[in-house]
């Protein structure tokens, strides 16, 4: 029994000794570098300079933390964690071959030892240019015009180096230059008649775009009196031109039937830089006065004289221009009315000396009646009779009050439609000659 115990103890000690023997260290497995892939690898057909490229990586024993990329020069790598981006490759008048490299980098900062490579034969694509249609005038303009244009290049708009432009009066080789940041050009001293404007762009490879062009008509400038024709048709225009012709006044016609010039600079230049000292602006059922408020304010601030006759200038609420420059204090009536030539209640009566005593409608007027009260710096010139359904509302004012030289006459009804007593011409003549001091002959 004891011998058996001794044997068991011996065997146990031997097993314990074997178990306590030091195991050899495990062999370390080296980190495996990642693999990099491009959406397209190898050589592609000729492409444009602007390309959107895609890349990704695989790592069997970790994960991808980012990529090194390079174009042509593998010593000039840059880091990214993106998987795609747009590149603009240098291009020229002939094919330029570029190589794009990508190295995936794993979580232990090990980079792919064999980068993915894409060979790109790049051919330049010429830019395109187009004149903004809204900036091309539909009406006859005066000798200043701002035209806007848009230009694009599928190789990247940043490859556009500049623009060349001319008019039909320049020779085919007489192009003027604009920088790449330009989106418009202002033409000055345009010769009257039908004119043509041409423009083209060029890129950093010297490739020229298409030539875009547009037609417009330039009117003649005569004298320092400006007649702004702001109505459809010519009923009012013939009335005012006949008066100016009979007085022997040299004048320039600025037709804005289709609308003001696209650029506010042109409007301001016409009113304030071309030397006009007297301005007669008349409108029809609609008005473009609101689009010229800034230029008109400058014109009046500089001492210009304005006769404005419009039935579409005072929509509520009153604008700052109406208050500060037209001297309208309050709008007393603004609703659709029907004025007739047979009603004594539709006769306007003069409030100041020197003006025709009464004005009568010469044909029915259907419009929104802009009755108002002038502010304390101006005087009412014509009012409706107290017996009218609108009371003695004011329809015309003079600024400043009588006793000082007039600078502004403002009517909210068309003067040429107030000729029922055949004295509307006398009214306009009195304003131009006696109030504004415009010379006859």
């Amino acid at each position: 029994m004891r011998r058996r115990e001794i044997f068991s103890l011996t065997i146990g000690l031997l097993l314990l000794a074997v178990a306590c023997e030091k195991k050899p260290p495990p062999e370390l497995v080296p980190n495996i570098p990642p693999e990099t892939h491009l959406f397209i690898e190898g050589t592609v057909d000729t492409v444009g300079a602007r390309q959107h490229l895609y890349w990704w990586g695989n790592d069997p024993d970790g994960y991808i933390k980012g990529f090194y990329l390079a174009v042509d020069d593998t010593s000039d790598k840059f880091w990214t964690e993106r998987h795609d981006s747009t590149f603009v490759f240098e291009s020229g008048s002939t094919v330029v071959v570029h190589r794009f490299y990508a190295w995936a980098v794993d979580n232990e900062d090990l980079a792919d030892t064999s980068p993915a490579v894409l060979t790109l034969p790049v051919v330049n694509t010429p830019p395109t240019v187009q004149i903004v249609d809204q900036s091309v005038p539909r009406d006859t303009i005066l000798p200043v015009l701002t035209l806007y244009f848009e230009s694009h290049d599928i190789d990247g708009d940043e490859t556009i180096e500049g623009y060349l432009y001319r008019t039909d009066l320049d020779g085919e080789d007489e192009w003027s230059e604009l920088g790449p940041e330009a989106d418009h050009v202002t033409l000055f001293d345009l010769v009257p008649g039908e004119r043509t404007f041409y423009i083209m762009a060029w890129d950093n490879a010297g490739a020229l775009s298409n030539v875009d062009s547009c037609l417009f008509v330039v009117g003649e400038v005569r004298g320092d009196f400006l007649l702004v024709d702001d109505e459809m048709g010519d009923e009012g225009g013939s009335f005012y031109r006949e008066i100016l012709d009979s007085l022997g006044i040299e004048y320039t016609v600025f037709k804005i039937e289709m609308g003001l010039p696209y650029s506010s600079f042109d409007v301001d230049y016409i009113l304030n830089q071309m030397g006009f000292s007297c301005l007669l602006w008349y409108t029809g059922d609609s008005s473009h006065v609101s689009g010229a408020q800034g230029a008109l304010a400058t014109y009046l601030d500089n001492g210009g004289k304005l006769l404005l006759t419009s039935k579409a200038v005072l929509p509520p609420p009153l604008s700052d221009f109406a208050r500060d420059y037209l001297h309208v204090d309050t709008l007393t009536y603004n609703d659709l009315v029907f004025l007739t030539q047979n009603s004594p209640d539709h006769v306007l009566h003069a409030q100041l000396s020197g003006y025709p005593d009464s004005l009568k409608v010469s044909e029915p007027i259907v419009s929104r009646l802009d009755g108002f009260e002038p502010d304390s710096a101006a005087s009412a010139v014509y009012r409706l009779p107290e017996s009218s359904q609108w009371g003695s509302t004011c329809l015309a004012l003079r600024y400043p009050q009588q006793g000082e030289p007039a600078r502004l006459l403002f009517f909210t009804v068309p003067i040429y439609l107030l000729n029922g007593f055949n004295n509307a011409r006398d009214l306009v003549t009195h304003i131009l000659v006696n109030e504004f001091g415009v010379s006859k002959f």
Side-chain angles (χ1 to χ4, degrees):
M1 185 75 178
R2 183 171 178 77
R3 184 180 297 167
R4 199 175 287 133
E5 291 175 354
I6 292 172
F7 178 76
S8 298
L9 179 60
T10 301
I11 295 298
L13 291 171
L14 288 172
L15 291 172
L16 180 61
V18 171
C20 291
E21 247 182 63
K22 187 174 182 181
K23 293 182 179 179
E27 183 177 347
L28 295 177
V29 177
N31 181 29
I32 300 174
E35 288 290 333
T36 316
H37 304 279
L38 293 167
F39 179 67
I40 299 175
E41 297 185 37
T43 303
V44 298
D45 293 333
T46 54
V47 295
R50 188 181 187 89
Q51 295 295 318
H52 198 134
L53 303 180
Y54 302 82
W55 55 89
W56 71 94
N58 295 320
D59 187 25
D61 56 359
Y63 60 89
I64 302 298
K65 63 184 290 186
F67 302 86
Y68 283 111
L69 305 176
V71 176
D72 296 332
D73 183 1
T74 56
S75 66
D76 188 18
K77 301 183 182 73
F78 59 94
W79 174 258
T80 183
E81 296 179 5
R82 292 174 57 93
H83 288 76
D84 71 292
S85 189
T86 298
F87 295 84
V88 178
F89 296 91
E90 180 184 349
S91 60
S93 56
T94 59
V95 173
V96 178
V97 178
H98 294 279
R99 287 178 174 83
F100 178 79
Y101 301 88
W103 294 263
V105 179
D106 68 12
N107 55 299
E108 296 186 18
D109 294 323
L110 185 62
D112 188 355
T113 57
S114 56
V117 183
L118 175 62
T119 301
L120 295 146
V122 175
V123 61
N124 180 61
T125 303
T128 62
V129 67
Q130 183 176 19
I131 299 168
V132 175
D133 185 63
Q134 296 95 314
S135 69
V136 181
R138 272 63 173 174
D139 298 317
T140 297
I141 63 166
L142 297 185
V144 59
L145 173 62
T146 301
L147 290 166
Y148 285 77
F149 51 87
E150 296 178 348
S151 186
H152 300 288
D153 194 323
I154 63 174
D155 297 332
D157 290 352
E158 62 272 19
T159 66
I160 296 172
E161 289 287 311
Y163 306 91
L164 298 172
Y165 71 92
R166 68 179 180 88
T167 69
D168 60 293
L169 296 175
D170 302 312
E172 292 187 2
D173 297 326
E174 298 178 32
W175 296 84
S176 298
E177 186 175 326
L178 294 170
E181 73 287 345
D183 64 356
H184 69 278
V185 59
T186 300
L187 308 171
F188 296 96
D189 301 322
L190 292 165
V191 176
E194 186 176 87
R195 303 272 69 90
T196 306
F197 172 78
Y198 304 91
I199 188 168
M200 59 181 170
W202 83 89
D203 65 14
N204 55 7
L208 293 173
S209 73
N210 61 300
V211 177
D212 199 15
S213 64
C214 65
L215 293 170
F216 54 91
V217 178
V218 181
E220 185 179 2
V221 177
R222 301 176 61 229
D224 62 355
F225 190 106
L226 182 63
L227 180 67
V228 181
D229 181 349
D230 186 9
E231 72 165 358
M232 301 293 287
D234 192 49
E235 187 176 1
S238 60
F239 170 82
Y240 298 111
R241 290 195 301 272
E242 181 183 326
I243 296 173
L244 294 173
D245 290 339
S246 69
L247 294 173
I249 296 172
E250 279 198 318
Y251 60 95
T252 297
V253 178
F254 180 26
K255 180 69 173 176
I256 54 174
E257 179 178 84
M258 302 302 294
L260 289 166
Y262 186 76
S263 171
S264 59
F265 173 85
D266 294 359
V267 180
D268 186 74
Y269 187 90
I270 290 168
L271 297 188
N272 296 299
Q273 301 297 322
M274 295 186 66
F276 296 115
S277 61
C278 193
L279 168 59
L280 195 168
W281 189 316
Y282 63 93
T283 79
D285 290 326
S286 60
S287 165
H288 294 99
V289 172
S290 61
Q293 288 180 8
L296 282 170
T298 301
Y299 173 79
L300 292 168
D301 283 340
N302 291 337
K305 298 171 183 177
L306 171 63
L307 168 56
L308 174 61
T309 169
S310 172
K311 57 181 179 180
V313 150
L314 296 179
L318 289 175
S319 67
D320 291 340
F321 176 76
R323 292 186 185 278
D324 298 339
Y325 288 92
L326 299 184
H327 294 276
V328 173
D329 181 59
T330 54
L331 190 65
T332 60
Y333 202 87
N334 185 266
D335 204 353
L336 190 65
V337 300
F338 184 57
L339 298 175
T340 66
Q341 62 268 50
N342 298 320
S343 173
D345 288 340
H346 299 170
V347 174
L348 280 66
H349 297 286
Q351 308 296 301
L352 299 179
S353 61
Y355 287 84
D357 290 335
S358 302
L359 299 174
K360 186 173 77 167
V361 175
S362 52
E363 60 181 79
I365 301 177
V366 180
S367 73
R368 292 197 175 276
L369 179 67
D370 290 331
F372 63 91
E373 284 300 317
D375 65 20
S376 58
S379 298
V381 178
Y382 283 98
R383 291 182 180 276
L384 286 169
E386 185 66 44
S387 58
S388 76
Q389 67 184 96
W390 310 285
S392 59
T393 187
C394 179
L395 296 180
L397 65 75
R398 178 194 192 275
Y399 170 81
Q401 294 183 351
Q402 204 166 40
E404 299 180 56
R407 295 172 54 193
L408 167 73
L409 268 296
F410 171 45
F411 287 71
T412 58
V413 285
I415 294 176
Y416 77 92
L417 294 179
L418 299 176
N419 200 34
F421 292 136
N422 295 315
N423 57 357
R425 287 173 175 78
D426 297 336
L427 168 64
V428 175
T429 299
H430 172 74
I431 294 172
L432 298 183
V433 176
N434 298 324
E435 292 282 46
F436 289 165
V438 178
S439 299
K440 295 170 37 174
F441 300 97

mmCIF file of all heavy atoms in Angstrom, residues 346-383:
data_model
loop_
_atom_site.group_PDB
_atom_site.id
_atom_site.type_symbol
_atom_site.label_atom_id
_atom_site.label_comp_id
_atom_site.label_asym_id
_atom_site.label_seq_id
_atom_site.Cartn_x
_atom_site.Cartn_y
_atom_site.Cartn_z
ATOM 1 N N HIS A 346 -64.870 116.391 -62.478
ATOM 2 C CA HIS A 346 -63.597 115.844 -62.928
ATOM 3 C C HIS A 346 -62.709 116.899 -63.573
ATOM 4 O O HIS A 346 -61.807 116.593 -64.329
ATOM 5 C CB HIS A 346 -63.837 114.688 -63.911
ATOM 6 C CG HIS A 346 -64.593 113.552 -63.308
ATOM 7 N ND1 HIS A 346 -65.077 112.513 -64.066
ATOM 8 C CD2 HIS A 346 -64.961 113.289 -62.024
ATOM 9 C CE1 HIS A 346 -65.711 111.648 -63.276
ATOM 10 N NE2 HIS A 346 -65.653 112.111 -62.035
ATOM 11 N N VAL A 347 -62.995 118.168 -63.244
ATOM 12 C CA VAL A 347 -62.181 119.280 -63.738
ATOM 13 C C VAL A 347 -61.180 119.659 -62.648
ATOM 14 O O VAL A 347 -61.546 119.803 -61.480
ATOM 15 C CB VAL A 347 -63.065 120.491 -64.098
ATOM 16 C CG1 VAL A 347 -62.190 121.681 -64.459
ATOM 17 C CG2 VAL A 347 -63.995 120.144 -65.249
ATOM 18 N N LEU A 348 -59.919 119.818 -63.035
ATOM 19 C CA LEU A 348 -58.881 120.215 -62.089
ATOM 20 C C LEU A 348 -58.752 121.736 -62.094
ATOM 21 O O LEU A 348 -58.727 122.363 -63.153
ATOM 22 C CB LEU A 348 -57.523 119.596 -62.463
ATOM 23 C CG LEU A 348 -57.269 118.148 -62.063
ATOM 24 C CD1 LEU A 348 -58.190 117.191 -62.799
ATOM 25 C CD2 LEU A 348 -55.815 117.782 -62.330
ATOM 26 N N HIS A 349 -58.666 122.327 -60.906
ATOM 27 C CA HIS A 349 -58.598 123.780 -60.766
ATOM 28 C C HIS A 349 -57.234 124.200 -60.219
ATOM 29 O O HIS A 349 -56.726 123.608 -59.269
ATOM 30 C CB HIS A 349 -59.715 124.279 -59.850
ATOM 31 C CG HIS A 349 -61.091 124.013 -60.392
ATOM 32 N ND1 HIS A 349 -61.626 124.731 -61.436
ATOM 33 C CD2 HIS A 349 -62.030 123.083 -60.051
ATOM 34 C CE1 HIS A 349 -62.833 124.269 -61.713
ATOM 35 N NE2 HIS A 349 -63.111 123.268 -60.884
ATOM 36 N N ALA A 350 -56.688 125.247 -60.850
ATOM 37 C CA ALA A 350 -55.358 125.727 -60.476
ATOM 38 C C ALA A 350 -55.372 126.348 -59.092
ATOM 39 O O ALA A 350 -56.304 127.066 -58.722
ATOM 40 C CB ALA A 350 -54.848 126.739 -61.500
ATOM 41 N N GLN A 351 -54.311 126.095 -58.334
ATOM 42 C CA GLN A 351 -54.152 126.645 -56.992
ATOM 43 C C GLN A 351 -53.070 127.722 -56.947
ATOM 44 O O GLN A 351 -52.941 128.418 -55.931
ATOM 45 C CB GLN A 351 -53.790 125.521 -56.010
ATOM 46 C CG GLN A 351 -54.719 124.331 -56.045
ATOM 47 C CD GLN A 351 -56.132 124.696 -55.618
ATOM 48 O OE1 GLN A 351 -56.330 125.183 -54.490
ATOM 49 N NE2 GLN A 351 -57.110 124.469 -56.490
ATOM 50 N N LEU A 352 -52.314 127.882 -58.037
ATOM 51 C CA LEU A 352 -51.228 128.852 -58.094
ATOM 52 C C LEU A 352 -51.418 129.761 -59.299
ATOM 53 O O LEU A 352 -51.949 129.343 -60.328
ATOM 54 C CB LEU A 352 -49.866 128.145 -58.188
ATOM 55 C CG LEU A 352 -49.469 127.212 -57.041
ATOM 56 C CD1 LEU A 352 -48.112 126.585 -57.328
ATOM 57 C CD2 LEU A 352 -49.439 127.961 -55.709
ATOM 58 N N SER A 353 -50.944 130.977 -59.183
ATOM 59 C CA SER A 353 -51.056 131.924 -60.300
ATOM 60 C C SER A 353 -50.110 131.538 -61.428
ATOM 61 O O SER A 353 -49.070 130.913 -61.205
ATOM 62 C CB SER A 353 -50.721 133.341 -59.806
ATOM 63 O OG SER A 353 -49.388 133.386 -59.320
ATOM 64 N N GLY A 354 -50.504 131.909 -62.642
ATOM 65 C CA GLY A 354 -49.677 131.643 -63.800
ATOM 66 C C GLY A 354 -50.036 130.365 -64.525
ATOM 67 O O GLY A 354 -49.642 130.173 -65.677
ATOM 68 N N TYR A 355 -50.759 129.480 -63.862
ATOM 69 C CA TYR A 355 -51.145 128.210 -64.472
ATOM 70 C C TYR A 355 -52.522 128.337 -65.102
ATOM 71 O O TYR A 355 -53.368 129.129 -64.613
ATOM 72 C CB TYR A 355 -51.165 127.099 -63.413
ATOM 73 C CG TYR A 355 -49.784 126.661 -62.979
ATOM 74 C CD1 TYR A 355 -49.094 127.352 -61.989
ATOM 75 C CD2 TYR A 355 -49.168 125.564 -63.571
ATOM 76 C CE1 TYR A 355 -47.821 126.967 -61.594
ATOM 77 C CE2 TYR A 355 -47.903 125.165 -63.173
ATOM 78 C CZ TYR A 355 -47.234 125.874 -62.191
ATOM 79 O OH TYR A 355 -45.977 125.492 -61.818
ATOM 80 N N PRO A 356 -52.832 127.604 -66.187
ATOM 81 C CA PRO A 356 -54.195 127.608 -66.723
ATOM 82 C C PRO A 356 -55.197 127.330 -65.615
ATOM 83 O O PRO A 356 -54.986 126.446 -64.774
ATOM 84 C CB PRO A 356 -54.160 126.482 -67.764
ATOM 85 C CG PRO A 356 -52.734 126.409 -68.199
ATOM 86 C CD PRO A 356 -51.931 126.718 -66.963
ATOM 87 N N ASP A 357 -56.303 128.105 -65.606
ATOM 88 C CA ASP A 357 -57.247 128.033 -64.487
ATOM 89 C C ASP A 357 -57.819 126.644 -64.274
ATOM 90 O O ASP A 357 -57.979 126.196 -63.130
ATOM 91 C CB ASP A 357 -58.405 129.018 -64.711
ATOM 92 C CG ASP A 357 -57.942 130.459 -64.580
ATOM 93 O OD1 ASP A 357 -56.928 130.671 -63.889
ATOM 94 O OD2 ASP A 357 -58.573 131.338 -65.185
ATOM 95 N N SER A 358 -58.156 125.971 -65.373
ATOM 96 C CA SER A 358 -58.825 124.679 -65.255
ATOM 97 C C SER A 358 -58.279 123.716 -66.312
ATOM 98 O O SER A 358 -57.923 124.123 -67.425
ATOM 99 C CB SER A 358 -60.340 124.819 -65.439
ATOM 100 O OG SER A 358 -60.875 125.713 -64.482
ATOM 101 N N LEU A 359 -58.258 122.454 -65.925
ATOM 102 C CA LEU A 359 -57.888 121.384 -66.849
ATOM 103 C C LEU A 359 -59.014 120.359 -66.860
ATOM 104 O O LEU A 359 -59.500 119.948 -65.799
ATOM 105 C CB LEU A 359 -56.585 120.703 -66.409
ATOM 106 C CG LEU A 359 -55.327 121.569 -66.325
ATOM 107 C CD1 LEU A 359 -54.177 120.758 -65.721
ATOM 108 C CD2 LEU A 359 -54.929 122.088 -67.709
ATOM 109 N N LYS A 360 -59.428 119.969 -68.074
ATOM 110 C CA LYS A 360 -60.516 119.007 -68.185
ATOM 111 C C LYS A 360 -60.029 117.770 -68.932
ATOM 112 O O LYS A 360 -59.229 117.865 -69.865
ATOM 113 C CB LYS A 360 -61.707 119.625 -68.924
ATOM 114 C CG LYS A 360 -62.948 118.718 -68.945
ATOM 115 C CD LYS A 360 -64.164 119.438 -69.527
ATOM 116 C CE LYS A 360 -64.070 119.509 -71.042
ATOM 117 N NZ LYS A 360 -65.374 119.923 -71.645
ATOM 118 N N VAL A 361 -60.556 116.639 -68.505
ATOM 119 C CA VAL A 361 -60.226 115.384 -69.166
ATOM 120 C C VAL A 361 -60.664 115.462 -70.623
ATOM 121 O O VAL A 361 -61.799 115.850 -70.926
ATOM 122 C CB VAL A 361 -60.903 114.207 -68.448
ATOM 123 C CG1 VAL A 361 -60.662 112.906 -69.200
ATOM 124 C CG2 VAL A 361 -60.405 114.101 -67.008
ATOM 125 N N SER A 362 -59.753 115.092 -71.542
ATOM 126 C CA SER A 362 -60.079 115.145 -72.970
ATOM 127 C C SER A 362 -60.584 113.810 -73.486
ATOM 128 O O SER A 362 -61.190 113.743 -74.560
ATOM 129 C CB SER A 362 -58.851 115.579 -73.774
ATOM 130 O OG SER A 362 -57.729 114.786 -73.452
ATOM 131 N N GLU A 363 -60.331 112.752 -72.760
ATOM 132 C CA GLU A 363 -60.885 111.434 -73.071
ATOM 133 C C GLU A 363 -60.956 110.659 -71.760
ATOM 134 O O GLU A 363 -60.236 110.963 -70.806
ATOM 135 C CB GLU A 363 -60.029 110.704 -74.093
ATOM 136 C CG GLU A 363 -58.588 110.458 -73.668
ATOM 137 C CD GLU A 363 -57.794 109.753 -74.754
ATOM 138 O OE1 GLU A 363 -57.371 110.430 -75.713
ATOM 139 O OE2 GLU A 363 -57.598 108.527 -74.640
ATOM 140 N N PRO A 364 -61.855 109.679 -71.684
ATOM 141 C CA PRO A 364 -62.027 108.977 -70.408
ATOM 142 C C PRO A 364 -60.711 108.374 -69.910
ATOM 143 O O PRO A 364 -59.919 107.845 -70.698
ATOM 144 C CB PRO A 364 -63.049 107.890 -70.734
ATOM 145 C CG PRO A 364 -63.794 108.423 -71.915
ATOM 146 C CD PRO A 364 -62.790 109.186 -72.715
ATOM 147 N N ILE A 365 -60.503 108.493 -68.614
ATOM 148 C CA ILE A 365 -59.324 107.912 -67.968
ATOM 149 C C ILE A 365 -59.808 106.877 -66.962
ATOM 150 O O ILE A 365 -60.568 107.198 -66.039
ATOM 151 C CB ILE A 365 -58.486 108.973 -67.236
ATOM 152 C CG1 ILE A 365 -58.014 110.053 -68.210
ATOM 153 C CG2 ILE A 365 -57.291 108.328 -66.541
ATOM 154 C CD1 ILE A 365 -57.246 111.180 -67.532
ATOM 155 N N VAL A 366 -59.374 105.654 -67.150
ATOM 156 C CA VAL A 366 -59.649 104.593 -66.177
ATOM 157 C C VAL A 366 -58.313 104.218 -65.551
ATOM 158 O O VAL A 366 -57.419 103.707 -66.232
ATOM 159 C CB VAL A 366 -60.296 103.364 -66.836
ATOM 160 C CG1 VAL A 366 -60.561 102.294 -65.792
ATOM 161 C CG2 VAL A 366 -61.580 103.754 -67.549
ATOM 162 N N SER A 367 -58.167 104.514 -64.289
ATOM 163 C CA SER A 367 -56.896 104.216 -63.629
ATOM 164 C C SER A 367 -57.088 104.285 -62.128
ATOM 165 O O SER A 367 -58.155 104.631 -61.635
ATOM 166 C CB SER A 367 -55.817 105.215 -64.056
ATOM 167 O OG SER A 367 -56.065 106.479 -63.456
ATOM 168 N N ARG A 368 -56.020 103.951 -61.433
ATOM 169 C CA ARG A 368 -56.031 104.165 -59.987
ATOM 170 C C ARG A 368 -55.700 105.627 -59.740
ATOM 171 O O ARG A 368 -54.652 106.120 -60.157
ATOM 172 C CB ARG A 368 -55.020 103.249 -59.300
ATOM 173 C CG ARG A 368 -55.420 101.787 -59.390
ATOM 174 C CD ARG A 368 -54.678 100.918 -58.403
ATOM 175 N NE ARG A 368 -55.185 99.567 -58.450
ATOM 176 C CZ ARG A 368 -56.256 99.129 -57.789
ATOM 177 N NH1 ARG A 368 -56.930 99.967 -57.012
ATOM 178 N NH2 ARG A 368 -56.661 97.887 -57.897
ATOM 179 N N LEU A 369 -56.600 106.311 -59.086
ATOM 180 C CA LEU A 369 -56.414 107.738 -58.838
ATOM 181 C C LEU A 369 -55.467 107.917 -57.652
ATOM 182 O O LEU A 369 -55.758 107.512 -56.535
ATOM 183 C CB LEU A 369 -57.756 108.401 -58.536
ATOM 184 C CG LEU A 369 -57.686 109.893 -58.225
ATOM 185 C CD1 LEU A 369 -57.254 110.674 -59.448
ATOM 186 C CD2 LEU A 369 -59.023 110.397 -57.726
ATOM 187 N N ASP A 370 -54.292 108.506 -57.916
ATOM 188 C CA ASP A 370 -53.333 108.774 -56.860
ATOM 189 C C ASP A 370 -53.535 110.191 -56.350
ATOM 190 O O ASP A 370 -52.803 111.117 -56.720
ATOM 191 C CB ASP A 370 -51.898 108.589 -57.376
ATOM 192 C CG ASP A 370 -51.565 107.134 -57.649
ATOM 193 O OD1 ASP A 370 -52.143 106.266 -56.981
ATOM 194 O OD2 ASP A 370 -50.727 106.867 -58.524
ATOM 195 N N GLY A 371 -54.558 110.362 -55.509
ATOM 196 C CA GLY A 371 -54.756 111.648 -54.855
ATOM 197 C C GLY A 371 -53.869 111.721 -53.625
ATOM 198 O O GLY A 371 -53.650 110.717 -52.945
ATOM 199 N N PHE A 372 -53.351 112.913 -53.316
ATOM 200 C CA PHE A 372 -52.382 113.011 -52.224
ATOM 201 C C PHE A 372 -52.418 114.421 -51.648
ATOM 202 O O PHE A 372 -53.105 115.313 -52.161
ATOM 203 C CB PHE A 372 -50.967 112.701 -52.735
ATOM 204 C CG PHE A 372 -50.488 113.674 -53.773
ATOM 205 C CD1 PHE A 372 -49.785 114.813 -53.415
ATOM 206 C CD2 PHE A 372 -50.731 113.458 -55.129
ATOM 207 C CE1 PHE A 372 -49.349 115.723 -54.377
ATOM 208 C CE2 PHE A 372 -50.290 114.351 -56.088
ATOM 209 C CZ PHE A 372 -49.597 115.489 -55.711
ATOM 210 N N GLU A 373 -51.656 114.625 -50.602
ATOM 211 C CA GLU A 373 -51.410 115.941 -50.040
ATOM 212 C C GLU A 373 -49.912 116.195 -50.041
ATOM 213 O O GLU A 373 -49.135 115.333 -49.637
ATOM 214 C CB GLU A 373 -51.962 116.066 -48.619
ATOM 215 C CG GLU A 373 -53.461 116.228 -48.539
ATOM 216 C CD GLU A 373 -53.954 117.479 -49.274
ATOM 217 O OE1 GLU A 373 -53.309 118.539 -49.143
ATOM 218 O OE2 GLU A 373 -54.978 117.368 -49.989
ATOM 219 N N PRO A 374 -49.478 117.376 -50.527
ATOM 220 C CA PRO A 374 -48.043 117.686 -50.516
ATOM 221 C C PRO A 374 -47.557 117.985 -49.109
ATOM 222 O O PRO A 374 -48.347 118.332 -48.219
ATOM 223 C CB PRO A 374 -47.939 118.916 -51.416
ATOM 224 C CG PRO A 374 -49.280 119.572 -51.319
ATOM 225 C CD PRO A 374 -50.274 118.457 -51.141
ATOM 226 N N ASP A 375 -46.258 117.873 -48.897
ATOM 227 C CA ASP A 375 -45.724 118.233 -47.586
ATOM 228 C C ASP A 375 -45.566 119.748 -47.484
ATOM 229 O O ASP A 375 -45.881 120.492 -48.422
ATOM 230 C CB ASP A 375 -44.400 117.502 -47.323
ATOM 231 C CG ASP A 375 -43.269 117.919 -48.264
ATOM 232 O OD1 ASP A 375 -43.346 119.002 -48.857
ATOM 233 O OD2 ASP A 375 -42.300 117.140 -48.401
ATOM 234 N N SER A 376 -45.059 120.211 -46.360
ATOM 235 C CA SER A 376 -45.026 121.650 -46.086
ATOM 236 C C SER A 376 -44.026 122.403 -46.958
ATOM 237 O O SER A 376 -44.087 123.633 -47.046
ATOM 238 C CB SER A 376 -44.678 121.883 -44.611
ATOM 239 O OG SER A 376 -43.423 121.296 -44.297
ATOM 240 N N ALA A 377 -43.103 121.672 -47.618
ATOM 241 C CA ALA A 377 -42.121 122.347 -48.464
ATOM 242 C C ALA A 377 -42.626 122.566 -49.876
ATOM 243 O O ALA A 377 -41.998 123.288 -50.649
ATOM 244 C CB ALA A 377 -40.821 121.533 -48.500
ATOM 245 N N ALA A 378 -43.753 121.921 -50.228
ATOM 246 C CA ALA A 378 -44.282 122.005 -51.588
ATOM 247 C C ALA A 378 -45.670 122.633 -51.563
ATOM 248 O O ALA A 378 -46.284 122.800 -50.507
ATOM 249 C CB ALA A 378 -44.330 120.619 -52.221
ATOM 250 N N SER A 379 -46.175 122.972 -52.766
ATOM 251 C CA SER A 379 -47.511 123.568 -52.886
ATOM 252 C C SER A 379 -48.353 122.758 -53.859
ATOM 253 O O SER A 379 -47.840 122.252 -54.875
ATOM 254 C CB SER A 379 -47.419 125.009 -53.411
ATOM 255 O OG SER A 379 -46.697 125.827 -52.536
ATOM 256 N N ALA A 380 -49.646 122.651 -53.559
ATOM 257 C CA ALA A 380 -50.570 122.036 -54.509
ATOM 258 C C ALA A 380 -50.699 122.949 -55.717
ATOM 259 O O ALA A 380 -50.822 124.168 -55.593
ATOM 260 C CB ALA A 380 -51.928 121.819 -53.853
ATOM 261 N N VAL A 381 -50.687 122.351 -56.919
ATOM 262 C CA VAL A 381 -50.865 123.121 -58.149
ATOM 263 C C VAL A 381 -52.273 122.930 -58.696
ATOM 264 O O VAL A 381 -52.926 123.888 -59.102
ATOM 265 C CB VAL A 381 -49.821 122.698 -59.206
ATOM 266 C CG1 VAL A 381 -50.041 123.463 -60.518
ATOM 267 C CG2 VAL A 381 -48.410 122.942 -58.694
ATOM 268 N N TYR A 382 -52.794 121.723 -58.695
ATOM 269 C CA TYR A 382 -54.153 121.441 -59.156
ATOM 270 C C TYR A 382 -54.841 120.507 -58.173
ATOM 271 O O TYR A 382 -54.244 119.554 -57.667
ATOM 272 C CB TYR A 382 -54.143 120.794 -60.549
ATOM 273 C CG TYR A 382 -53.890 121.778 -61.663
ATOM 274 C CD1 TYR A 382 -52.617 121.925 -62.203
ATOM 275 C CD2 TYR A 382 -54.920 122.562 -62.169
ATOM 276 C CE1 TYR A 382 -52.381 122.829 -63.224
ATOM 277 C CE2 TYR A 382 -54.695 123.475 -63.194
ATOM 278 C CZ TYR A 382 -53.427 123.608 -63.704
ATOM 279 O OH TYR A 382 -53.213 124.516 -64.711
ATOM 280 N N ARG A 383 -56.124 120.803 -57.930
ATOM 281 C CA ARG A 383 -56.969 119.969 -57.104
ATOM 282 C C ARG A 383 -58.280 119.696 -57.822
ATOM 283 O O ARG A 383 -58.727 120.499 -58.668
ATOM 284 C CB ARG A 383 -57.285 120.635 -55.766
ATOM 285 C CG ARG A 383 -56.112 120.756 -54.809
ATOM 286 C CD ARG A 383 -56.554 121.388 -53.491
ATOM 287 N NE ARG A 383 -55.467 121.530 -52.539
ATOM 288 C CZ ARG A 383 -55.049 120.571 -51.713
ATOM 289 N NH1 ARG A 383 -55.668 119.393 -51.712
ATOM 290 N NH2 ARG A 383 -54.052 120.796 -50.878
#
